[in-house]
Amino acid sequence: MNPSAPPPESRSTRLERLLPGSLELVWRYLTEPELLAEWLSVSRIELREGGRVELQPLRTEGTEQRPTERTVRGVVTRCEPPRVLSFTWSDEETPHSEVTFELVPQGEKVRLVLTHWRAPLHAVALAGSVLDSLALRLGARGPVRRAA
């Protein structure tokens, strides 16, 4: 077996969502820890190529979201604010994958394209609900204040 090949139970997935809000607002939800914590994970991201990424995905318990025990680590491989963010994704379940978020303005909305290379099957299944959670967050609130 080729060690650099993805495991047979992994796939690449590409999902798109048309999101409410400006390009800058959607970018902030992808990159600012306090906004990421509202829909995806407790996080630290150094927004530069080679920067560190640490994510602690959320799980829903009743009406609250709590961080899981799992920690995802990675390195930013591409950062072109406010349009493209890519980083490697590695944890005990997914040792070698990469996630890319691409943002394209469309009128008063933003098309988000999420591509996850070498994604395990469980990640493929969850990706759509994660993007739906982001869309709900963006639709449920007006503009957020810029962090100081």
Side-chain angles (χ1 to χ4, degrees), residues 18-21 25-26 29 132-143:
L18 191 58
L19 302 172
L25 179 62
V26 176
Y29 268 86
D132 291 344
S133 178
L134 173 59
L136 285 172
R137 282 287 175 200
L138 286 164
R141 69 183 326 165

Side-chain angles (χ1 to χ4, degrees), residues 1-146:
M1 181 176 185
N2 179 350
S4 65
E9 69 280 359
S10 71
R11 304 219 184 324
S12 293
T13 188
R14 178 185 164 109
L15 297 171
E16 295 187 25
R17 292 290 187 281
L18 191 58
L19 302 172
S22 67
L23 184 67
E24 292 75 17
L25 179 62
V26 176
W27 178 258
R28 290 181 60 212
Y29 268 86
L30 294 177
T31 60
E32 291 183 14
E34 65 277 3
L35 296 177
L36 266 168
E38 291 184 13
W39 67 278
L40 178 63
S41 69
V42 175
S43 64
R44 288 181 7 162
I45 298 178
E46 296 173 349
L47 286 177
R48 61 177 172 75
E49 287 186 25
R52 288 186 350 192
V53 175
E54 284 186 16
L55 304 173
Q56 196 171 8
L58 300 173
R59 71 172 176 266
T60 302
E61 293 179 0
T63 59
E64 294 186 23
Q65 290 188 313
R66 300 196 187 283
T68 62
E69 300 288 322
R70 196 171 110 217
T71 299
V72 174
R73 289 181 170 63
V75 174
V76 174
T77 57
R78 188 172 167 203
C79 184
E80 300 172 15
R83 301 205 182 242
V84 180
L85 177 63
S86 293
F87 51 88
T88 59
W89 178 288
S90 182
D91 65 12
E92 58 278 350
E93 297 174 0
T94 314
H96 305 288
S97 68
E98 186 166 345
V99 175
T100 297
F101 294 97
E102 297 174 271
L103 302 177
V104 180
Q106 291 196 310
E108 294 182 11
K109 297 186 177 186
V110 175
R111 178 163 305 280
L112 176 117
V113 179
L114 165 69
T115 307
H116 193 157
W117 287 275
R118 297 183 186 169
L121 293 176
H122 71 274
V124 172
L126 290 174
S129 64
V130 167
L131 292 185
D132 291 344
S133 178
L134 173 59
L136 285 172
R137 282 287 175 200
L138 286 164
R141 69 183 326 165
V144 293
R145 292 185 311 158
R146 209 170 274 281

